[in-house]
Amino acid sequence: MSSQKSTAESVEMRAPKRERGRQRVANLLAAASKIIAERGYDAATMTAIAVEAGASIGSLYQFFPTKAALAEVLLDQYGARLGDRLNALLALQTGLTTAKMSEGLVAMMLDLTADRTAVMAILDARDAGPEAGEARRQLRARLEDGLERLLRIVRPDLKGDALVSLRLSLLYMLKAIPAMVGDAPQLATQVRDDMTRALACYISG
Amino acid sequence: MSSQKSTAESVEMRAPKRERGRQRVANLLAAASKIIAERGYDAATMTAIAVEAGASIGSLYQFFPTKAALAEVLLDQYGARLGDRLNALLALQTGLTTAKMSEGLVAMMLDLTADRTAVMAILDARDAGPEAGEARRQLRARLEDGLERLLRIVRPDLKGDALVSLRLSLLYMLKAIPAMVGDAPQLATQVRDDMTRALACYISG
Amino acid sequence: MSSQKSTAESVEMRAPKRERGRQRVANLLAAASKIIAERGYDAATMTAIAVEAGASIGSLYQFFPTKAALAEVLLDQYGARLGDRLNALLALQTGLTTAKMSEGLVAMMLDLTADRTAVMAILDARDAGPEAGEARRQLRARLEDGLERLLRIVRPDLKGDALVSLRLSLLYMLKAIPAMVGDAPQLATQVRDDMTRALACYISG
Amino acid sequence: MSSQKSTAESVEMRAPKRERGRQRVANLLAAASKIIAERGYDAATMTAIAVEAGASIGSLYQFFPTKAALAEVLLDQYGARLGDRLNALLALQTGLTTAKMSEGLVAMMLDLTADRTAVMAILDARDAGPEAGEARRQLRARLEDGLERLLRIVRPDLKGDALVSLRLSLLYMLKAIPAMVGDAPQLATQVRDDMTRALACYISG
DNA sequence: TATGAATGAGACTTCATTCAT
DNA sequence: CATGAATGAAGTCTCATTCAT
């Protein structure tokens, strides 16, 4: 049940060529992630990304026709990993308690460190273009959907607005967690515990 | 009881010396706030701001020598209002309960709607320049300081890391509140109540 | 036989008013001279000049309708002083020897320190406008004329191209003197003597 | 025997990596030289330079990240040619007489016509930036160094201030020569001879 | 296919000059 | 007259994107 479809290209051509291309794409994405995380989406230039990846600007555009397209893939990638984690939690089904869910969600946010800062930067940028707009919506939907399904398990009593409101708050609180930890790395475990408890307390109402 | 200095006039910004100028500055700030809120800091162009304010680009630069200076003033303005609210809460002194504090903080975040989105956008931008960097730090310090003092009242038992960690989480949760409400305006009261309760539950541990 | 007409305005209005105005103009000119000397003609802004003079930009434009006009007056002022010095030398008439002339010219260049740097900066700027163009030509003409008349006294044997060529070289060498001294102030007297001798040797052929 | 480093390629300027680029850089430099010579450094706009070179503004900035960088390269190029000429003179060693030196220096100044006017304009500009400041210092040092070494050959008796002062005057007189000739082209040979004799007379004391 | 040069719209900022108060 | 706000053309520089080799 892994990551839906991601950016899978059609399956043809000989392995070596495909392999090299895949590696190249991975490099470029990593470079983009790093540069965007460091400078923010707008300030991250395509040239800087290419340089960071040790590629030429032409090469970069060979794989990503647009800056927005690059952002989109980053968003997708992150969304896929998020989806996997949510699915893993959902798989626990009835074994899922409020405590476990809270802990799992916090862990999920803190484990998904790769690309996260870049993704946040992209999400913050209001002008990432319509292509990224779609990916943004999808990422959002994935998270909302996962949270809603989890909540239905641990809080089967909630319906309508109460459920939506809880899901909403949960969503934003989760989003805030990495920032907190990044802000005070030396308090990482403390903050993690605090937030785990906070969420649990909050979810159970 | 206006917090610290003189709101924003103290920042690097050529102060208007005539009534006409004062009015124009207000217009420009409002326009900047609007445009930055809509497009994000980087994508907000000085030209667009001037147009929105019905002023010429030269007029804008008459009062704000830099885009960063403009951002700085916005930050300061917001910081001052925030400081006032925090001071009002602190003034309650021993009358302050966890519930009241929680309610007060949530209200504070939701009342300070003017400039808020723009301020967040500026805070998100990594390259708002060193001038804005200072204002950013100051705004942050104001909030942290206020929160810490409030916490010392309602949670005199907490010390060291525990206190810092709680303050940190609180800070980020507060910051998330307006986004939640903005996200689902029709659930405003529900979310407000939820978060009030969540914070109370969280503060009291 | 002092400074031809300089910038004398028509003689009317009461003294106090005229006096204040005269003072104001002098202040503005001094400020302009300073700023232009420091930054060069192009980089010297009208605003900076007004500030330096403790006047408002509007006030500056009251007296000088254009930046070029300001430059023109500066050129004129300098030209007048130059003319006076040249006339003083010419007054010696037959008492003038090569040595005295050389010494007198070097002294002239080194005494005329006020406005000199600014004047050079204006002369260097190729775009000081047609108004200043006229003043530039006049200043140049004054110097050339003076030199030619001086040379006719000490070198009555020279005619035509020989005279023109000598005058030309002399002109440029004189212009270079202040720069030399400014370059190595501690060698001022040495350089002064060197150049005096050099000019004498040169003039006598 | 090209003097120091590699002419100009060593300066801050994104080096072209294709033949096409090399040609364009040459064009751009020529255009810059022309425009700067015509209008002065400040008044020479990057746009005008690009147009003159038949290139787009972006193309210009591809190779010269700054107007100052462009100036720097021009300065360096000129300095290299100057250095070569000085070295050629120095190579004469003991065969060098005052007359030959004087003639050689005048010839050097009059031969180096390419870029000269532009270089002078750049040198005159007070705000060519720190990058150009360095190149300016280097150019100056090259000339001073060469002159000093030449003087040590023909005037081994001079020491200390006397030497420095002579070198200084020489420097400025050399700088003035092209202006003289440019001022009265029809007198070129006359002026050239005059100045050669003047310098000889001056150098020998 | 890979590379890097080319392009030009558009961003920020400056400044001479005008004008209302 | 004095003041300082208003104006906008123009300048430097950036960067996503295209294209020739």
Side-chain angles (χ1 to χ4, degrees):
Chain A
M1 193 199 283
S2 175
S3 60
Q4 273 116 290
K5 67 177 183 105
S6 81
T7 12
E9 297 109 89
S10 54
V11 195
E12 27 186 338
M13 297 163 105
R14 264 161 305 122
K17 232 175 193 170
R18 289 240 357 245
E19 194 40 44
R20 244 201 2 187
R22 196 181 294 284
Q23 183 55 41
R24 198 113 225 215
V25 167
N27 280 346
L28 290 170
L29 282 172
S33 184
K34 186 176 173 211
I35 297 289
I36 293 176
E38 282 170 8
R39 316 186 186 179
Y41 179 75
D42 290 288
T45 72
M46 292 297 266
T47 302
I49 291 170
V51 167
E52 171 74 29
S56 68
I57 183 71
S59 220
L60 176 52
Y61 272 89
Q62 205 96 49
F63 293 101
F64 303 98
T66 310
K67 193 180 176 186
L70 188 50
E72 190 188 358
V73 175
L74 243 18
L75 250 40
D76 262 15
Q77 222 175 234
Y78 187 78
R81 297 220 306 283
L82 200 77
D84 286 350
R85 295 294 300 240
L86 285 170
N87 284 336
L89 271 183
L90 277 166
L92 293 182
Q93 290 286 6
T94 51
L96 194 67
T97 66
T98 301
K100 267 189 193 143
M101 171 175 167
S102 175
E103 196 183 329
L105 287 175
V106 171
M108 173 183 84
M109 293 310 296
L110 291 177
D111 288 355
L112 256 39
T113 122
D115 294 348
R116 191 184 47 217
T117 314
V119 163
M120 296 302 180
I122 295 168
L123 258 20
D124 280 342
R126 313 264 195 303
D127 64 336
E131 312 178 42
E134 184 44 43
R136 185 198 308 242
R137 227 164 301 128
Q138 209 176 105
L139 174 57
R140 168 77 187 252
R142 251 201 265 247
L143 232 186
E144 281 186 339
D145 183 58
L147 287 182
E148 177 138 358
R149 269 147 68 184
L150 285 171
L151 284 176
R152 277 189 206 287
I153 297 178
V154 300
R155 291 295 304 272
D157 55 310
L158 286 184
K159 321 202 131 63
D161 283 359
L163 180 61
V164 175
S165 168
L166 182 54
R167 191 235 293 142
L168 185 67
S169 318
L170 211 48
L171 178 73
Y172 278 95
M173 287 171 70
L174 286 178
K175 274 176 64 173
I177 292 177
M180 292 180 201
V181 173
D183 207 340
Q186 76 284 5
L187 295 181
T189 50
Q190 171 97 37
V191 171
R192 171 193 280 251
D193 291 352
D194 276 17
M195 286 309 295
T196 305
R197 247 179 304 119
L199 288 190
C201 147
Y202 186 47
I203 292 171
S204 56
Chain B
M1 196 198 281
S2 185
S3 58
Q4 277 134 279
K5 290 288 192 77
S6 66
T7 300
E9 250 59 34
S10 63
V11 209
E12 184 170 357
M13 139 193 176
R14 285 190 264 286
K17 289 177 183 163
R18 304 212 183 157
E19 184 42 35
R20 178 98 177 275
R22 216 176 304 283
Q23 181 54 41
R24 178 135 276 191
V25 165
N27 282 346
L28 289 170
L29 282 172
S33 185
K34 186 175 173 210
I35 297 288
I36 292 176
E38 281 171 9
R39 315 187 186 178
Y41 180 74
D42 290 294
T45 74
M46 291 298 265
T47 301
I49 292 171
V51 168
E52 170 74 29
S56 69
I57 185 68
S59 233
L60 175 51
Y61 274 92
Q62 185 100 47
F63 297 105
F64 304 98
T66 297
K67 193 181 176 186
L70 186 51
E72 192 188 358
V73 173
L74 245 17
L75 250 41
D76 254 40
Q77 226 176 232
Y78 187 78
R81 296 217 307 280
L82 199 77
D84 286 351
R85 296 293 301 240
L86 284 170
N87 283 336
L89 271 183
L90 277 167
L92 293 182
Q93 290 285 8
T94 50
L96 195 67
T97 65
T98 300
K100 267 190 193 144
M101 172 175 166
S102 176
E103 194 184 329
L105 288 175
V106 171
M108 174 182 84
M109 292 311 296
L110 291 178
D111 287 356
L112 257 38
T113 129
D115 295 347
R116 191 184 47 218
T117 315
V119 163
M120 296 303 178
I122 295 168
L123 257 21
D124 281 340
R126 311 266 194 301
D127 65 334
E131 310 179 41
E134 183 45 42
R136 185 197 307 242
R137 225 165 303 130
Q138 208 175 104
L139 174 56
R140 169 78 187 250
R142 252 200 265 246
L143 233 185
E144 282 187 339
D145 183 59
L147 287 183
E148 178 138 359
R149 268 145 71 181
L150 286 171
L151 285 176
R152 276 189 206 286
I153 296 178
V154 300
R155 290 294 306 269
D157 54 310
L158 286 184
K159 316 202 136 61
D161 282 1
L163 181 60
V164 175
S165 170
L166 181 53
R167 168 182 22 93
L168 187 67
S169 318
L170 210 49
L171 179 74
Y172 278 93
M173 288 171 69
L174 285 177
K175 274 175 63 171
I177 292 178
M180 295 180 199
V181 173
D183 208 340
Q186 76 286 3
L187 294 181
T189 48
Q190 171 95 38
V191 171
R192 171 193 279 252
D193 290 351
D194 276 17
M195 287 308 297
T196 304
R197 248 177 304 118
L199 287 190
C201 147
Y202 185 47
I203 292 171
S204 56
Chain C
M1 193 198 280
S2 174
S3 57
Q4 273 115 292
K5 66 178 184 100
S6 81
T7 13
E9 298 109 88
S10 53
V11 195
E12 29 187 334
M13 296 162 108
R14 265 159 305 121
K17 232 175 191 167
R18 291 236 359 241
E19 194 41 45
R20 244 200 4 187
R22 196 181 294 287
Q23 183 54 42
R24 198 111 221 215
V25 167
N27 279 346
L28 290 170
L29 283 173
S33 184
K34 186 175 174 209
I35 297 289
I36 292 176
E38 282 171 8
R39 316 187 186 177
Y41 180 74
D42 291 289
T45 71
M46 291 299 266
T47 302
I49 291 171
V51 167
E52 171 74 29
S56 69
I57 183 71
S59 220
L60 175 52
Y61 272 89
Q62 203 97 50
F63 293 102
F64 303 99
T66 309
K67 193 181 177 184
L70 188 50
E72 190 188 359
V73 175
L74 243 18
L75 250 40
D76 261 16
Q77 221 176 235
Y78 187 78
R81 295 220 308 280
L82 200 76
D84 287 351
R85 295 293 301 238
L86 284 170
N87 284 336
L89 270 183
L90 277 167
L92 293 181
Q93 290 285 8
T94 51
L96 195 65
T97 65
T98 302
K100 267 190 193 143
M101 173 175 164
S102 176
E103 195 183 328
L105 288 175
V106 171
M108 174 182 84
M109 292 312 296
L110 291 177
D111 287 357
L112 256 40
T113 127
D115 294 348
R116 191 183 48 216
T117 314
V119 163
M120 296 303 180
I122 295 169
L123 257 21
D124 281 340
R126 312 259 197 308
D127 64 334
E131 310 178 44
E134 184 43 44
R136 185 197 310 239
R137 227 166 299 128
Q138 209 176 102
L139 174 56
R140 169 78 187 251
R142 251 201 267 245
L143 232 185
E144 282 186 339
D145 183 58
L147 287 182
E148 178 140 358
R149 269 148 68 182
L150 285 170
L151 284 176
R152 278 189 206 285
I153 296 177
V154 299
R155 290 295 305 272
D157 55 310
L158 287 183
K159 317 202 135 63
D161 282 0
L163 180 60
V164 175
S165 169
L166 182 54
R167 189 226 307 135
L168 187 66
S169 318
L170 210 49
L171 179 74
Y172 278 94
M173 288 170 70
L174 286 177
K175 274 176 64 172
I177 292 178
M180 294 180 200
V181 172
D183 207 338
Q186 76 285 6
L187 295 180
T189 50
Q190 170 97 38
V191 171
R192 171 193 279 251
D193 292 350
D194 277 17
M195 287 308 296
T196 304
R197 250 179 301 119
L199 287 190
C201 146
Y202 185 48
I203 292 172
S204 56
Chain D
M1 195 199 280
S2 186
S3 56
Q4 277 132 280
K5 291 288 191 80
S6 66
T7 300
E9 250 58 37
S10 62
V11 210
E12 182 169 359
M13 142 193 176
R14 284 190 265 285
K17 290 178 183 164
R18 305 218 183 153
E19 184 43 35
R20 177 102 177 273
R22 218 175 303 282
Q23 182 53 44
R24 178 135 277 191
V25 164
N27 282 346
L28 290 170
L29 281 172
S33 186
K34 185 175 174 210
I35 298 288
I36 292 176
E38 281 171 8
R39 315 187 187 179
Y41 180 74
D42 290 295
T45 74
M46 292 298 267
T47 302
I49 291 171
V51 168
E52 171 74 30
S56 69
I57 184 69
S59 232
L60 175 51
Y61 274 93
Q62 184 102 47
F63 297 106
F64 304 98
T66 296
K67 192 180 176 186
L70 186 50
E72 192 187 359
V73 174
L74 244 18
L75 250 40
D76 254 39
Q77 227 175 231
Y78 186 78
R81 296 218 307 281
L82 199 78
D84 287 350
R85 296 294 300 240
L86 284 170
N87 283 337
L89 271 183
L90 277 167
L92 294 182
Q93 289 285 9
T94 51
L96 195 67
T97 65
T98 301
K100 268 190 193 144
M101 172 174 165
S102 175
E103 196 185 327
L105 288 175
V106 171
M108 173 181 86
M109 292 312 296
L110 292 176
D111 288 356
L112 256 39
T113 123
D115 294 348
R116 192 185 45 218
T117 315
V119 163
M120 296 304 178
I122 295 168
L123 256 22
D124 281 341
R126 313 262 193 307
D127 64 335
E131 309 177 42
E134 185 43 43
R136 185 197 307 240
R137 226 165 303 129
Q138 209 176 103
L139 174 57
R140 168 79 187 250
R142 252 202 264 245
L143 233 185
E144 281 186 340
D145 184 58
L147 287 183
E148 178 139 357
R149 269 147 69 181
L150 286 171
L151 284 177
R152 278 189 206 284
I153 295 178
V154 300
R155 290 294 305 271
D157 55 310
L158 286 184
K159 319 202 133 64
D161 282 0
L163 180 61
V164 175
S165 170
L166 181 54
R167 161 171 40 85
L168 186 66
S169 318
L170 211 49
L171 179 74
Y172 278 94
M173 287 170 69
L174 287 176
K175 274 175 63 171
I177 292 178
M180 294 179 200
V181 174
D183 207 338
Q186 76 285 6
L187 295 180
T189 50
Q190 171 94 40
V191 171
R192 171 193 280 251
D193 291 351
D194 277 17
M195 287 308 297
T196 304
R197 249 179 303 119
L199 288 190
C201 147
Y202 186 47
I203 292 172
S204 55

